[in-house]
Amino acid sequence: MKRKLPRAFYNTTTMFGITVAGISLGLIFFLMAIDSFAKNQNPYVGLIAFTGIPPFFVLGLFIAILGVMKTHKKLKKATDPDRLPTVDFNNPRHRRAVATILYGGVFFFAISAFGSYQAYEYTESVEFCGTTCHVIMKPEYTAYQNSPHAMVPCVKCHIGPGAGWYVKSKLSGAYQVYSTIFHKYKTPIETPIANLRPAKDTCEQCHWPKQFYSQKLRDRTYYLSDDANSAHNLQMSWKIGGDERGASQGIHAHMYLDHEVRYIASDRQRQVIPYVEMTDGQGNVTVYRSTEEKITDAQIKSGEKRLVDCIDCHNRPSHQYKHPEETVNLAMGQGWVSPKLPGIKRIAVEALEGKYKTEAEGKAGIAAAVRNAYKEANPGVLTSMSKELDTAIKELQRIYGLNYFPEMGVSWKAFPNNLDHIHSAGCFRCHDGKHVSDKGKVITKDCNSCHTIISQPGPNGKPSVSATGQEFRHPGDVGDMWKDMLCKDCHGVQK
């Protein structure tokens, strides 16, 4: 058979390399076709096509080139050891070899550029972040899909624009791959994330604190844990605050508008804050130290003074695992769990908080716990309100699937939410009335600095309304205990 290329191309090593490269390229195009025409895209197809197979394609080409070089060296020694390779364009085989190398090189660089871009796009996709490591990232991905940021790609918040943070994320990702393969990760995954990009570079690409100066009316209905599921309606006016012209007030007064706030936390989750430092627009510094959580001068000097930004309060903007009181209240308010079911608020919360080893066990346990509760205390409900009971159980199972992931040890208990002060310290990390300056100035504990209560049930059960605000009345008979305790002491994690 007449050979169309120079003799150096015809050797076992080169043929093997070309075969490996050809099969790899064929598999890439095949997987791309499958991914394009499939109704439900599989995240592993992209992972294999754009990051798994391309190295074998490059390896095959490298082997082929190595074979050509070795064979040419042998042929050169057999004729004239001092002779350099020549290209004679009058020789058809030489022309074909040059054309093969030229067009092959252009094709290689084109397919490499396309593959690199596709690999970049894929590793930046939500599917890659959320589904590649399915068990590990399932809690985060599930919460994200049900969050206000569900249409915002993960990388917009976790990486942001620019090459520098992209490189940092990939270096961090390399360790995450290692942790996944060798099971070095913790359950649950620890937060907050170390060295997270400042909110100015991510959150504030969409949100603008300087314009947050209005008030917002919030209407919430709470159901008590009695047999009647008594409703407790509360209307509050939230002082959002803001304004860059020196009139910062309310909640967003913490933001660096006309002053800066820094703090030192003594725990990893930043729930214990013994030191706060406020610098006003004129550069005057006021230092507040906790009278309860002591901190030494040496600890202040060596500690990290963190500048307060969005994430210090909105610490779970896209990955919230909600408290059962919150989820059940919402479900009852919407009628997904019927308030007519006697004592369903208490029963539902207890069922959701049961100890289960897997998600499947949890959903089965919820159904059993709810039915057993009525079987023991009110068996008539099982027949007279069977439809409402079935609907309630399905909704509780749905709530469980969104907020509890026992395989990873994930629930609301593992991740404090700093946006409020009911189930975790939240605002009271600093606003506890126990942070005092050298001159006796105290960080306020007055709830009215952030919100005012417009309407709530009065002593006679009828709504008590005041446009200027009123003192909070705790539902149920707890006296004045709530004034001296933190909400989380009753509503938070019980140790």
Side-chain angles (χ1 to χ4, degrees), residues 23 34 163-164 204 209 214 269 282 318 360 406 410 431 439 451 485:
I23 293 174
I34 289 178
E204 292 185 31
S214 62
Q269 289 192 316
Q282 289 71 45
S318 300
V410 170
H431 292 270
K439 294 182 179 180
H451 55 68
M485 300 172 61

Side-chain angles (χ1 to χ4, degrees), residues 202-215:
T202 52
C203 309
E204 292 185 31
Q205 299 302 303
C206 297
H207 303 284
W208 194 10
K210 293 179 181 179
Q211 294 300 315
F212 295 158
Y213 50 74
S214 62
Q215 295 196 26

Side-chain angles (χ1 to χ4, degrees), residues 11 83 120 281 416 434 449 480:
N11 61 82
R83 183 181 177 186
Y120 165 78
K434 299 176 182 177
S449 61
D480 291 334

Side-chain angles (χ1 to χ4, degrees), residues 124-126 129 144 149-160:
E124 296 287 277
S125 69
V126 172
C129 296
Y144 158 80
H149 293 100
M151 298 303 292
V152 180
C154 308
V155 295
K156 294 292 184 181
C157 297
H158 285 272
I159 300 175

Side-chain angles (χ1 to χ4, degrees), residues 416-433:
N417 189 340
N418 295 333
L419 265 188
D420 64 21
H421 47 71
I422 298 177
H423 305 121
S424 55
C427 316
F428 289 143
R429 292 177 298 161
C430 301
H431 292 270
D432 58 356

Side-chain angles (χ1 to χ4, degrees), residues 404-480:
Y404 294 83
F405 303 87
E407 292 90 342
M408 284 295 296
V410 170
S411 72
W412 68 274
K413 297 177 182 178
F415 302 106
N417 189 340
N418 295 333
L419 265 188
D420 64 21
H421 47 71
I422 298 177
H423 305 121
S424 55
C427 316
F428 289 143
R429 292 177 298 161
C430 301
H431 292 270
D432 58 356
K434 299 176 182 177
H435 285 73
V436 185
S437 71
D438 292 338
K439 294 182 179 180
K441 189 176 180 180
V442 181
I443 297 180
T444 181
K445 190 184 177 183
D446 182 9
C447 297
N448 288 322
S449 61
C450 289
H451 55 68
T452 55
I453 297 175
I454 304 300
S455 174
Q456 64 180 329
N460 57 2
K462 295 182 179 180
S464 173
V465 181
S466 172
T468 58
Q470 54 187 297
E471 186 180 54
F472 173 69
R473 295 188 185 92
H474 194 288
D477 186 14
V478 298
D480 291 334

